[in-house]
Structure formats: structure tokens, C-alpha cells
Amino acid sequence: MDGRTDSVLITPGRKSKARSNDTVPEMNDLSISNNANATTPSKPSSGHPRSLSSAPKFSLPGSQQTDVYAEARSQVKRYLKDNIIGVQTIAEHSNQSTQQFVTRQTESIAEFIDELVQCVKLGLGKAELENKLKRTIAAQLKRRSLTEQHSGKTDAEMFNSAVRFLKWLYPGSDSTFSTTNEKHIYPCFVELINFVAELVVRPPLDQQPTSFDEYPKQLVRSYNKTDVKPDNAEGVHRVDMALKCDTLNYNGLNNDDGYDKDSFQYSEEDLKAKDGRNDERPNYSRIFAVIEVKPNFSDANMLKGFSQLVEYSKNVYWKQHNRRFIWGLVSGGSNVKACVLGPNFLLASRFMDVTTAEGRLELIGFLVNWSFCELPKLGYDPTIRFNHKHGCFTIDMADREPGPAQTTYYLRKIVVVAERVFGRHTRCFVVGKQPPSSDENCNASADILIKDAWPEVSGSAEDDMRDESKLLERVSNGLTGRSEYEGLYPKYINGGRMQIQNARGEGVEDTTRTVLGDTVWAQLGELPLRTHMRIAMSGVGEPLKFIKSIPELIVVIYDVMRCHMGILKHCHILHRDISEANILVRRDSTGVHGMLIDFDHAVDITDDGYAKHAERTGTLPFMSVSNLEDKPTKRTALDDWESIIYILCWLGTFGWNRAIRQSDSKRRKNIASWDGDDVEDIANSKRRDMDSSRSFTEITKGFNPNIPDIAVLEDIVEGLRAVLIDDHKDPNLRGAMIIRDRIPKDNSNNMFRGYEYKPRPDPFVKRAEHWESISERLLAKLEIYAQGAKELSLTDI
């Protein structure tokens, strides 16, 4: 599952509760999950299963902070595209005439600052220079006029700002200033950014706006506190600087629709007292962009700067549920790079040297563009907003068919948040069709879940048969009327690929290509395309941590696998990503049930039952051997059955919630080899452990003895393993290791002539040819266990 897991009730005054990371694996309170975020595998913390490409949590004990940066460095090396031309165009206004006006404003501000730099270069004495700067600033400001109800800084305040940042723009002007000292740069950078922001709302008298589009919609400024741990941050990290995005209000702006103009910025922490925020100190729920400052642009410093930018941006995704991508700046001495962080890219601009007029013009261009451009250009999602009339967030869901039709849902709970910079950015929201009322049980009636993510796509919406919304719709249609599967899977309501409006008011698919624009996209080679997907579905369950006993666990697993086989039989879809996060628990008057969710990686099967696509995907400890080895082996239902055995072993060892977590690290030693950095090593470990009942005992003897009925779970996993691995008449189907036969050369029994070694067929490959009969026997075996489990726990179910 991608994201924080503590449920948050979205009502004024309620804050999210941060989860500690010193726990055993825990799943989401209410969720449709996502396991495969595209980052490189890394070593897991104790007991926490890794996705094939997952990243660590960022709230770690101090002793583990180095590992966090190691992961971030690895991600930088994988995703960074440096010296990209045209990064500034990403933030340009989509209306060409408006952008021309913005460009003129940029040039006028740059000319103002250039004039101040020229004053410093004259080499005047201190008093004479002060007078020269004051006269220049006063003359410039007289030629400008405020565009909003804003008192504006005084001439003296503007002078004080200029004195500070001019040390950085012309380093030789102050012998006490050094561009190699980060702390010297902080105040200079802050003052330059805020000086530009002041001029954004004070355009020249001959360049006044003539239409509403030519007014800045927000003002990008720097927090005054630098080198500080932001409010509501986890961990001990301190950001060098951070930018905020303040909304500008003008007379005549109509808010009768119930939305505040800065509603895109709200988070649960803002709802209690949005006017009481500390605007001096960065707050991750409000940060627009992080700035990292280094003494120079050496390779080591830049790697560190980019890595810190990646690490801190995780917090932005975690706290801001409507961020599509994130901006950032990295400074090295007098050079600055603008960065864009998205689902599968980290882009950095060319150097902008603030000691040159050209470099200053480029940097100012970013700051001014950010103040004028539309919300999607800033990285926000305009379809998720706070409605003050109803006291909740709303989420707009476009219907799949082209056109303006859409449904607005009212947010009740946030159950999964995106906390990683790279990957699908999966978020899940429990919503209702009606606004919350004064009824205390209004949240209980919310049975719709919205999943919002950025998956890779292989083609257009019409041609992409791996579109999760289409697959889920097929599952819903294929199982309609089959009561035996009712409640065991989420039902599709609506949704699909999201659109963003362009300057002409037309809907354009929200993809990584439309985010970056053609100029930048053309420089990225074969970067996989990702699209913004949003799906509404009915059926809400709880994560496995709410299981009360092993008998309940077995009933849930049986429900999930009979649903899995039903989908395979009636819909011809193979799930391919069976993991603990994709199994939910549901309770009703008839007892406890399981629910199979998350069809991100599901694929069509051939008439023979083989997956049409066989790329490697999943969560490392639960992936099948064939999946891990990523060979051209046919993938079948047996891969998912194999995953079920691994899940049960994992839960038997680590438990499924804090109350029953495993404390004896020695007992976890053997199963720990199912996770780690080397996928090939994991596959080899699983082959060894699964090969025989004797070798498998090395896994089951590590089960937590403090879990009631743990011996029953041992018997069950050993029984399922036997059906999958041992119970076959054909010896080529038995075992898990690839055995090599030693054959004498030249058909001679003379050992001195040597031997040849001929490998036998891979038993996993051979079993795949008989997937259907083996799957039927596995389901029948599990049904026997489930029936016994129901008898054991009648009082609890």
C-alpha cells in the first residue's frame, strides 16, 4: 500500500494522527491499495514488507537517518534528468497573450534589480551608495502601482531588502559575505524572492493589467524562518528554505459557489483555525516548494542537494492531498537550478547564475510565472477543494465519456495518502454523494471509495486494455448476479482518466506529458507515460490488522481466493498482485468476510489461462519465484496461490497488528531472506525454503508462538505448500529447486572420462502447464480449512 494509513475524519478541528514507524507491518484502515511505486528496492525495516520498488517511511529513528538519504540518493541517480532546456515553460500561463504580459512583467522586474546591481558596481562609499540605492528604489516605485488592496512595503523596507540580497548578486560588495557559506545565502535568497513578490503586485504604470487573466492569482514568497524543521514534520530533518503560495483576493471576486479562493491549499490542520497559522515558519501542509542551499555546485554537493529535496518533498505529498507534482530549487553558491518532481521524473534546469543579468532574468521568470499561472501549472489538482459552506473537501469525478458531465463527491475520510515522490502517488478517500450533515452517523453511510493514482499507461484511453477502471468495470459486470461473490470485490461506479482544462476551456488528459509540455517531454527519451486516474467504487473494508484470530484470517483468505478464481473464470482476468495490503476484512450480520482489491496490475488471460503480460510486479516477500526471476515463464493463477502461502507465513511470523507482533528477532531470521536488496537472492531463498516439507519447516518454526492457534496456521500453510509443490504423480512437477542430473560422458561408466550436467525442467514451469487442476485442489483444500475455522470461531465471526 502506498501511503500513510491512519484514518482522518475530515471535520473542522480534527487533526491527523501520525503513525510511528517502530511497529510491525500494518495495513490501511479503509483502503484500496497500491503496492508498486517505481523506486528501487531497498533494505526494509524490521518486518515491513517492501514493494518490488518501494521506498522507506520517512519517520525513522535517528540512527537510521543515513539510510533514508541513501534511498533518496539512489532515487536521484535513477530519476534525475539534469540541464533540461525550457523547464520554465512548465509554469507558463496557458493563454499565450497572458504569458506575453507576464514576460513583460518579468523583464521590468529584472531591469529594476539590474539597475540596483549597477549602483553597487560603481564602487561608491557606504553613505553615497545608500543614497544612490534609496533614490533608485524611490524612483522605480513611483513608476509602479499596486494592483490589489495591499498596503505594500515602504521605500525603506524595500531598501533594506535590497541591501541584503545585493550581497549575493554582487559578492564583492561585502567582504563579510561568502557564497560558500550557506547561512550567508539564506537571508539573501529570502529577501530576493520577497522583493520580486512585492514587485509582482506593483507593475509599471505603462504595463497595467487590462483583463482579469493579467492579474497575479497568487503570490509566491519565502518563509522568513530558514534552516528549520517545518511544523507538522516527522523526523528531525531541517529544510534550508521553503516557499509559500499566498492567494490574492480582488474586489468583485465571487465566492458564492462555497469555495474559498485558496481552498486548494487547505489540509486537515488548517481547518481548526486557518487564520491562526504561523506564516513565518514553514508548514508542510502549506509549503509550495522546498529550497536546498549548498556552498557550491560540486557533484557531491549537488547530489546531496537533490537528495534532500527528494526526501523533504515526501512530506509535501503526505500533507497535501491534491498535489500532482512539486516544484523545488537547489542553490550552489551563486548558481540556482529549478526542479520539478513528478511520478517518474526529477528534472533540473540549467544553471541560473544570479551574479549575471541573464541568470537573474531566468530565476525571476520562475518566480513571476508561479504567481500568474493556473493552479495545475503549480502542481495542484483543482478538482480537490475545500468547501466552507459544507465544512468539507469535495472531489470532482469526471464521467468516462467525453464531455462536461461530472459528479461531485463529499469527502468523509482520507484513508491512504501519497508519501513518496516517485511512483503512483495513490490516494484513497471515503466519500458520500451528499454533503455531511449534523447527523453523527453521516460518515457511517459513506460507502464509496475513490482511488486516485498515476499509473503507467500503454496507449490511449480507448486502446489501453490494462486500464484499471476498465478491468474493474469488467469484473463488476462479469460477476453481476453471482451472489456467491457478493461483497468480495469492489464494484465500479464511475471514473477513469482525469482531464485538466486548457486555456480554451477544453478538457485535456492529465498526463505527465501534458504536465511537462512538448518542449521538455522531447528531451526525456523513452520516459514511460503516466496518466492521472481516478476511480469511484463501492465496497469499503478494513485492513488485515483488524483480524481478531487465525480462524478469521483463514475465512478471509478463503473468500479472497474463491473471488480470485471466480474473476479468473468468469471475467478472464488474473489479479497478479496478491499481497496483504490488497486483502481487506469486511463484517456484516453473517460474519467476517474477505475482499480482494486493487486491480492495478491485473491482466487478461489467454484461452489457456496464461497471463498475456508477464512483467515483474508485486511486493517482494509475497512475489512468486517466477515473478521474481522475471523469466519468460508463463504466469498463471499458481503465482497468486504461491503468494498466498508467503502472506500466511509472513503474518504467522510477524503478526498482523501491534498486539501480536514478533519480538524474537532470531525467529524471524529465515523468513527475512524473502526481503532485501537482491531480487535474485530472494528467489533463490524461496526455492530453497519451498523445495521440501523439511526445508519449509525452517520457515514455520519461526512463527510467533504467542499467537493463539498458531499451530493451526502452521498445519494450513504446510498443507497448501504440499498441494502446490509435493502432491503430483509426475516427478517433474515436484519440488522447487532445479535439479541437475550427472551423466557420464561418451556413455561410459569410466569416471575419469568426466561427466556432463543436464538440468531437469523447472518444476514451476511444469506446474504452470497444469495450473487449473492444481488451483482447484488448492481451493478445495482451503475450503476445508475455512469450514473448520468457522466452526472454531462462531462466537467471534
Side-chain angles (χ1 to χ4, degrees):
M1 175 63 68
D2 175 17
R4 294 273 158 179
T5 61
D6 292 285
S7 294
V8 179
L9 179 63
I10 304 304
T11 54
R14 179 76 176 268
K15 293 185 178 183
S16 63
K17 182 179 179 182
R19 187 191 72 184
S20 170
N21 270 316
D22 59 351
T23 63
V24 295
E26 292 205 14
M27 286 64 69
N28 299 281
D29 291 347
L30 293 165
S31 57
I32 295 296
S33 73
N34 174 57
N35 294 333
N37 286 276
T39 59
T40 53
S42 61
K43 183 161 286 190
S45 57
S46 175
H48 190 84
R50 281 298 167 92
S51 165
L52 170 64
S53 52
S54 68
K57 304 294 181 186
F58 49 77
S59 176
L60 294 175
S63 62
Q64 298 183 43
Q65 297 291 341
T66 302
D67 292 336
V68 173
Y69 284 119
E71 179 72 17
R73 284 195 298 272
S74 175
Q75 293 173 340
V76 169
K77 292 176 181 179
R78 177 177 180 181
Y79 293 105
L80 176 63
K81 303 287 186 182
D82 202 2
N83 296 316
I84 296 296
I85 299 171
V87 173
Q88 191 180 111
T89 63
I90 300 171
E92 288 183 351
H93 200 285
S94 57
N95 183 292
Q96 187 174 359
S97 63
T98 300
Q99 183 56 39
Q100 290 173 352
F101 175 83
V102 175
T103 300
R104 291 194 296 271
Q105 297 299 310
T106 299
E107 292 170 349
S108 71
I109 294 172
E111 290 170 2
F112 186 165
I113 294 176
D114 287 347
E115 188 174 351
L116 298 180
V117 174
Q118 292 305 318
C119 291
V120 178
K121 288 184 176 181
L122 293 175
L124 303 174
K126 181 178 180 180
E128 190 176 1
L129 176 59
E130 286 185 5
N131 290 330
K132 177 71 172 176
L133 289 174
K134 289 178 179 178
R135 291 196 302 270
T136 302
I137 290 172
Q140 280 280 1
L141 293 180
K142 283 183 179 179
R143 296 196 289 269
R144 293 174 174 270
S145 173
L146 286 170
T147 60
E148 66 154 349
Q149 292 181 336
H150 171 62
S151 59
K153 289 185 177 181
T154 64
D155 291 7
E157 289 172 326
M158 295 293 278
F159 166 76
N160 290 333
S161 291
V163 169
R164 293 188 183 98
F165 69 69
L166 285 171
K167 298 177 183 179
W168 187 35
L169 305 191
Y170 191 64
S173 61
D174 188 336
S175 60
T176 65
F177 175 84
S178 172
T179 58
T180 61
N181 189 320
E182 297 177 22
K183 295 186 182 298
H184 286 187
I185 296 176
Y186 296 157
C188 300
F189 210 159
V190 168
E191 294 297 344
L192 176 62
I193 292 168
N194 292 342
F195 191 91
V196 171
E198 182 68 21
L199 297 180
V200 164
V201 295
R202 300 171 79 158
L205 294 174
D206 59 351
Q207 295 182 23
Q208 293 293 300
T210 58
S211 67
F212 185 73
D213 279 349
E214 293 180 352
Y215 285 84
K217 304 305 183 295
Q218 54 274 329
L219 203 56
V220 173
R221 295 187 293 179
S222 174
Y223 286 95
N224 290 329
K225 295 287 187 180
T226 59
D227 188 24
V228 64
K229 176 183 174 181
D231 290 339
N232 68 10
E234 292 196 357
V236 298
H237 299 313
R238 303 165 67 90
V239 301
D240 290 342
M241 296 173 56
L243 300 182
K244 54 186 175 180
C245 192
D246 294 334
T247 302
L248 298 177
N249 294 303
Y250 301 93
N251 289 332
L253 181 65
N254 192 332
N255 277 335
D256 288 343
D257 61 355
Y259 292 99
D260 289 339
K261 193 166 189 302
D262 60 348
S263 61
F264 68 93
Q265 291 184 316
Y266 287 166
S267 71
E268 56 268 22
E269 279 104 349
D270 292 315
L271 302 185
K272 185 175 182 180
K274 67 178 182 179
D275 295 327
R277 293 186 297 263
N278 181 356
D279 283 338
E280 297 295 313
R281 187 185 186 93
N283 182 311
Y284 274 123
S285 65
R286 303 281 295 179
I287 286 176
F288 164 65
V290 173
I291 303 177
E292 279 303 305
V293 178
K294 297 296 168 225
N296 56 57
F297 252 127
S298 68
D299 290 344
N301 276 330
M302 284 303 93
L303 177 58
K304 184 177 181 180
F306 288 132
S307 300
Q308 290 175 321
L309 185 63
V310 167
E311 185 60 32
Y312 305 155
S313 293
K314 289 181 185 179
N315 292 269
V316 178
Y317 275 122
W318 171 43
K319 284 294 181 181
Q320 300 180 26
H321 312 303
N322 62 344
R323 285 307 287 264
R324 297 159 52 248
F325 63 91
I326 296 176
W327 287 95
L329 294 171
V330 176
S331 170
S334 61
N335 289 294
V336 181
K337 282 179 177 283
C339 302
V340 187
L341 301 92
N344 58 348
F345 55 80
L346 165 57
L347 309 184
S349 69
R350 297 175 299 179
F351 289 124
M352 295 178 284
D353 187 348
V354 298
T355 66
T356 68
E358 181 183 5
R360 290 192 293 271
L361 178 63
E362 285 191 60
L363 177 58
I364 293 168
F366 277 101
L367 299 174
V368 177
N369 280 354
W370 286 334
S371 291
F372 281 89
C373 69
E374 306 95 319
L375 290 181
K377 298 274 189 172
L378 292 173
Y380 294 101
D381 185 342
T383 66
I384 301 179
R385 299 176 290 170
F386 182 76
N387 187 298
H388 63 81
K389 285 186 177 180
H390 299 300
C392 70
F393 287 89
T394 62
I395 302 177
D396 295 332
M397 174 73 72
D399 294 335
R400 175 178 291 167
E401 297 302 323
Q406 68 177 22
T407 303
T408 296
Y409 293 97
Y410 296 86
L411 186 59
R412 307 296 172 80
K413 292 181 181 178
I414 300 172
V415 292
V416 179
V417 303
E419 63 174 359
R420 298 181 181 123
V421 175
F422 306 109
R424 293 170 176 262
H425 293 170
T426 298
R427 299 174 171 97
C428 293
F429 312 99
V430 175
V431 301
K433 290 186 176 180
Q434 301 298 325
S437 65
S438 58
D439 181 2
E440 294 182 356
N441 295 320
C442 67
N443 288 292
S445 62
D447 60 352
I448 299 173
L449 189 137
I450 288 179
K451 178 179 179 179
D452 189 280
W454 285 78
E456 287 186 12
V457 292
S458 56
S460 66
E462 294 76 19
D463 300 331
D464 187 8
M465 298 309 297
R466 299 182 61 187
D467 181 323
E468 185 184 7
S469 66
K470 291 182 179 179
L471 290 169
L472 189 57
E473 186 175 19
R474 282 177 51 196
V475 169
S476 300
N477 293 336
L479 297 185
T480 296
R482 301 185 183 277
S483 59
E484 66 269 32
Y485 304 116
E486 189 68 27
L488 304 186
Y489 62 96
K491 292 185 178 180
Y492 174 84
I493 298 177
N494 67 340
R497 299 190 183 192
M498 292 294 292
Q499 293 188 338
I500 293 292
Q501 284 192 342
N502 62 18
R504 296 184 295 276
E506 302 166 337
V508 178
E509 187 176 340
D510 193 15
T511 68
T512 46
R513 180 167 185 167
T514 54
V515 163
L516 300 177
D518 291 339
T519 299
V520 172
W521 186 262
Q523 302 171 62
L524 304 183
E526 299 299 321
L527 185 71
L529 180 69
R530 288 180 179 262
T531 192
H532 188 184
M533 184 80 70
R534 185 174 293 166
I535 308 171
M537 61 197 83
S538 64
V540 177
E542 299 175 315
L544 281 178
K545 72 177 182 180
F546 289 100
I547 285 289
K548 297 178 180 178
S549 64
I550 283 179
E552 282 198 353
L553 174 63
I554 298 309
V555 171
V556 166
I557 294 297
Y558 171 64
D559 280 348
V560 163
M561 290 313 293
R562 68 186 178 90
C563 179
H564 171 281
M565 296 305 295
I567 291 171
L568 189 67
K569 178 179 179 180
H570 301 294
C571 309
H572 304 288
I573 292 172
L574 181 64
H575 190 277
R576 290 200 321 139
D577 189 18
I578 302 295
S579 70
E580 59 176 356
N582 292 340
I583 298 172
L584 299 186
V585 182
R586 187 178 58 82
R587 297 177 189 276
D588 59 24
S589 59
T590 64
V592 66
H593 307 281
M595 177 183 288
L596 178 62
I597 63 169
D598 203 339
F599 292 80
D600 280 35
H601 302 294
V603 294
D604 288 322
I605 59 171
T606 64
D607 292 339
D608 296 328
Y610 301 126
K612 291 185 177 180
H613 305 277
E615 71 274 13
R616 182 167 56 192
T617 185
T619 306
L620 288 174
F622 314 134
M623 289 167 62
S624 69
V625 169
S626 296
N627 195 1
L628 286 165
E629 293 178 341
D630 203 23
K631 295 177 180 178
T633 304
K634 294 177 180 178
R635 308 290 166 75
T636 70
L638 294 186
D639 290 278
D640 288 348
W641 276 106
E642 191 180 335
S643 294
I644 281 292
I645 296 174
Y646 298 144
I647 290 171
L648 293 175
C649 289
W650 195 268
L651 296 177
T653 303
F654 295 105
W656 49 85
N657 58 40
R658 299 178 188 180
I660 56 173
R661 67 175 176 178
Q662 172 79 277
S663 59
D664 186 352
S665 60
K666 292 181 179 180
R667 300 184 71 90
R668 305 195 302 256
K669 180 179 179 181
N670 291 327
I671 202 171
S673 64
W674 292 4
D675 205 348
D677 298 324
D678 194 315
V679 176
E680 184 177 347
D681 284 348
I682 297 173
N684 290 336
S685 295
K686 288 183 175 180
R687 280 189 182 271
R688 179 194 64 234
D689 295 333
M690 294 286 282
D691 188 56
S692 68
S693 58
R694 181 176 180 179
S695 60
F696 192 63
T697 302
E698 295 299 311
I699 297 298
T700 57
K701 74 180 184 182
F703 282 12
N704 187 350
N706 297 320
I707 300 177
D709 296 317
I710 192 65
V712 175
L713 184 60
E714 290 181 34
D715 291 341
I716 290 173
V717 294
E718 287 171 354
L720 293 174
R721 191 211 68 85
V723 173
L724 178 65
I725 302 294
D726 297 337
D727 299 345
H728 309 289
K729 293 181 179 180
D730 185 347
N732 288 324
L733 273 62
R734 299 181 201 141
M737 302 295 289
I738 299 178
I739 299 174
R740 296 188 304 170
D741 291 324
R742 189 174 68 172
I743 304 173
K745 289 184 179 180
D746 303 327
N747 295 320
S748 170
N749 290 323
N750 187 341
M751 68 178 67
F752 295 102
R753 293 183 179 272
Y755 296 91
E756 294 178 338
Y757 293 89
K758 182 179 180 181
R760 294 182 186 177
D762 185 342
F764 286 100
V765 174
K766 297 299 292 183
R767 283 193 293 269
E769 299 173 3
H770 303 271
W771 71 267
E772 192 166 11
S773 62
I774 299 174
S775 295
E776 290 175 354
R777 287 194 287 128
L778 283 163
L779 187 61
K781 189 79 168 180
L782 191 54
E783 182 179 14
I784 295 173
Y785 295 140
Q787 290 297 330
K790 288 181 180 180
E791 294 174 6
L792 282 174
S793 57
L794 284 175
T795 58
D796 295 328
I797 296 178

